[in-house]
Amino acid sequence: MPGLTSDLGETSDVPFSSEVGPVVYPLRHGLKPPIAARFSISWSRGNSLRVSGFQSEADDSEVVRGKVVEVKLGSGDGEIDHSQWRRIAYGSVSPFALLQSRKNSMVAVSKMSAVSSPYDAEWSDYVMEYSREIGFLLGGHKLSLSVGIVDTKTVLKKVEEPTCLKAAWELMVIFYADHKSQAWTPEQLVDWLADYDSLLSGTQPTVHSKLVNFQKELASLQAIEDDDNYWEAISSVLAVGWLDVAVKMLRLHGSYQLNQVGSREIENGLVEAVAVLISKMPRMRLELAPGKLGEYFGTKPDFIKAWEKWRGQISKLDCSAFWVQCDHRQTREGLKNLLQIMLGNANILSSVTCHWMELHVSYLLHIRPFTMGLENMKNLAQKCMQFKPVSCPHKLMTLLLGILGENTEVVLAECSRSFGPWMVVHAAELLAAGNTQAEILLHEERHNLGGISMEELHRLVYAQVLSSHALTWQIGPIYLASCTKQGMALLKILLYKQPMHHNQILLKNIEICRLYELHKVSSKMMKIAGVHHWKHGKKGSGVFWLQQARDEIRLSRIAQQLFDFVGKSISDESFKQWEGLIELLGSESRIAGGLEFLHKYRDFKRSLQQVHDGIATNRAQKAAESLILLMKNPSTPQRFWLPLLYDSLKLLNWQEHPLLNVSQTNLLLNKLQELSIGKAMPFFCLSLLPLNALSSSRLLLFEVVSFSFIVEKLCT
Amino acid sequence: MEKTVATLDKGTICSSWNYSGQRMATGSTDGTLAIFDSVDSASSSFTCSSRSRVHEASIVKVVWVPPEYGDAVACIYADGTLSLWEEVVEDSRPLQWKLCKDFDKSSNQVLDVQFGVSLTGLKLVAAYSDGHLKVYELLDPLELKNWQLQAEFQNVIDSVSKFGKAACLSASVSWSPERGESQQLSFVLGFNSNIMQLNSAKVWEFDQDHQRWLPVAELALPEEKGDPVYAVAWAPNIGRPYEVIATATHKGIAIWHLGLNPDLDGRLSVEKVASLSGHEGGVWEMEWDMSGMTLATTGGDGVVRLWQSNLNGVWHEQAVFEPTI
């Protein structure tokens, strides 16, 4: 499902198009023109749409046939491959669920103690923990080492490619989750750009791309300091605050070579002095990663003091007499340029940076280190954009501008549109953390959305994306469970769309139903499985699942079918088959009356079978007794009377002596009489028996009754 | 972005996926019903597992029976007849597709058929070329061969209105997706015919007390009531306080909100919330996704379009799939 865009035209003051036209995708169906006569569509699970293309009848080609293609919507722009996506999807479940449960318990506590704000320090810690865990998932390690010189001829070290998704996540963390570091936001942006500047290279040149180009040149350079690109590259990296790179590059200067130190002492002294100044640059931040240059100060007064002192040193060096003695023009000019950068010369900063974001960061570092608040940052960003306009804004920049513009709707829409449903669901937690306006916006129930909040909408959309894949649908319920209004209904639909005849999937579904107390859903699924198995020859599984589903209607139909079946024949094979089913059906259900009959009938058939196997009068006697019991029993369906009698012809006609007495035979005759009268009864069915079954039974019974009458008379 | 999941037989002109998207039934011009299956539930590659010639005439539409009634399909043929086929294993014979019901062959052609599941059982509504619709009820939940005609009526609000002989080119039926048990069973139906009164999409609801079907809403503005309807689609409702139904006429696609509570006359409130134009050459098919938030449509322009509402409730075209070679 594509991201839901918001109509933001009136409220948005950042470049954000409100009239976004439909996204056009190609649909490669492989049919020859004239394009398929017809397309047919069908939504599969989640957000996958299947399109059948039918070849027009006019086309006689044997080669080209219609086909069905599946398109998955809103599943990312391909930056992250499928297996990686699944890893992220699975990995983010537990931090998300933990945060929800913490939120719920905090809300419960605050309700009890009537404390209105749940956003205390503890909550802030939880959100940071959540953001760290998710951040780790998006890219295991810190990427800030991506720029650095590992040996004399390598400026850039190759590390894992940063992703826009991770970059966007970090932006959200900086501005929404990391409340404790708010005073040091400018420095966080400097770090952020160092990590992700390469991502901006896609659309236009950046300091990173400049550095990459310089590295290619590096191997062929003899005297590096003669090359203008060398000085330009150092200026650029210094401007954006990659101090370690700047210092290491400075130390590639030819004057450091042992054979040159003597003749270029002053020159080398100046280079080193600048390098030392760079490495001592005061930074207003809480800490510096190991190996990073600069001196950090956590408080503004300390920083101001250090900064003024450091600037004083720069000015002093700038006015130094040694410059006159430096013969190498490029070195002199290059170093002077670096000093100007450190002194915050706006013109030079503008000329050495490429992207407006780089200019923005260089201002934050060298001109306005105290820039506080989003409003000021936004003004600065707008100023930088005037200097360095872009024709096609990068999605990360659109997101950043949304953040700086304090427009939660834009931020959400941009998260959804550019980074997909996963991002918007998980980042919404950061947005809502401590930002009341965002929280209201996210949680407000909207009539236009069918009475749900934006937070719920995004979760529903994400759950749908998850449910479109056989390997991720199982985590959909966790997100749906967090949707109080519509989550359960969507979960039910999702569960119904699983293939129930796969036992494992069915068991998983039943487990989910048990967890969320969806008993009706569970029983419907078992019903589907039961019917499938019953109709596909797995009668035992069929009955089992229908029993689990407590589907009395179908079970009693099955019992009816068994009756019908039982009435048909008495062959060994079929006897075994239905005998097993009678066992399975048990006697606990409401159809117990019918089953009681089936059990007795089974016993009767067993003894009859034994009679057929060999001549054993006592067994025959037993069978005859079973017959009478069956015929006396009111639960024996009337339509079985005749088949029973017909099956028992051999018993009735027992050669040795009559097995039935007069009253027993009379009972049978009466039953026959009833049958003859009730031929018109709805269940009366003779089709399965020989046409003369009734008359032959009757005839035989008359013989038996007269014979037993004689025997009884003789005995008395 | 797209992936081929199945290659169809030559002459295939219709297809339908079952409830789980794990089986596809297709119909061909030579009357062959083909079934496509995947090797396992995680795979999305489908191959033909069964082919049976079920009719002399071409199969024009295949509709799956709800899964709690088995693996079965209803086939509508070009000669206007309708039959049900079911996959079963009988006695010790192998798995086979078996004819379980041939519906009465009248002079009128069946144009569309859809199944609805109610508390009491399975219902089938079939729309005929004379503007009538018939509702059948399944008598035995385990046997798809025993159906009883429950009702027959015309798609008109006022049953006493008189008009000439109707000739309908197409019809479209859509049941309200299953909701809570308290909800009544209902469906929406529209015709493309020469009779104005028949055309507009009407919502029919079963009145349990009087055991009859009643029209409870008409999805057409007064000036558009005679417009032939090409397709209707009732959206799943996962908790909205209103229902959403899409209808398509030559003017385009309309999205309607249908109230849940009837007024004193038993009618449901109706509001047209969007008129969307896009498909040139008419709309063929419309289908809602599982949440009822996205509508997919195809039409005479051979393009697949997706429609969504934004956060302000404004419907718009979200994506287009344009065929290329």
Side-chain angles (χ1 to χ4, degrees), chain B residues 155-157 163 167-170 189-202 218-230 247-251 256 272:
Chain B
N155 191 37
V156 287
I157 290 280
F163 42 82
C168 307
L169 290 173
S170 69
L189 180 138
F191 275 108
N192 170 11
S193 79
N194 60 342
I195 305 291
M196 305 231 325
Q197 292 95 316
L198 283 175
N199 286 345
S200 65
K202 284 139 200 127
E218 186 174 13
L219 306 180
L221 299 178
E223 65 275 18
E224 295 171 344
K225 284 192 176 173
D227 293 351
V229 171
Y230 301 144
T247 60
T249 64
H250 67 280
K251 288 177 184 145
W256 302 85
K272 188 179 187 178

Side-chain angles (χ1 to χ4, degrees), chain B residues 144-194:
Chain B
L144 286 168
K145 61 184 176 209
N146 301 324
W147 294 84
Q148 190 178 46
L149 182 64
Q150 185 205 27
E152 182 176 356
F153 46 90
Q154 281 186 310
N155 191 37
V156 287
I157 290 280
D158 175 13
S159 57
V160 292
S161 60
K162 291 275 174 280
F163 42 82
K165 189 172 164 17
C168 307
L169 290 173
S170 69
S172 181
V173 187
S174 180
W175 285 88
S176 65
E178 210 177 344
R179 285 172 284 161
E181 286 182 8
S182 56
Q183 294 288 346
Q184 294 291 350
L185 195 61
S186 42
F187 63 84
V188 58
L189 180 138
F191 275 108
N192 170 11
S193 79
N194 60 342

Side-chain angles (χ1 to χ4, degrees), chain A residues 372-383:
Chain A
M372 297 290 283
L374 297 175
E375 175 77 28
N376 290 333
M377 283 217 194
K378 188 185 86 178
N379 294 339
L380 179 58
Q382 279 169 341
K383 190 177 158 189

Side-chain angles (χ1 to χ4, degrees), chain A residues 361-376:
Chain A
V361 156
S362 71
Y363 265 66
L364 293 176
L365 260 179
H366 302 289
I367 300 178
R368 302 184 191 175
F370 310 119
T371 307
M372 297 290 283
L374 297 175
E375 175 77 28
N376 290 333

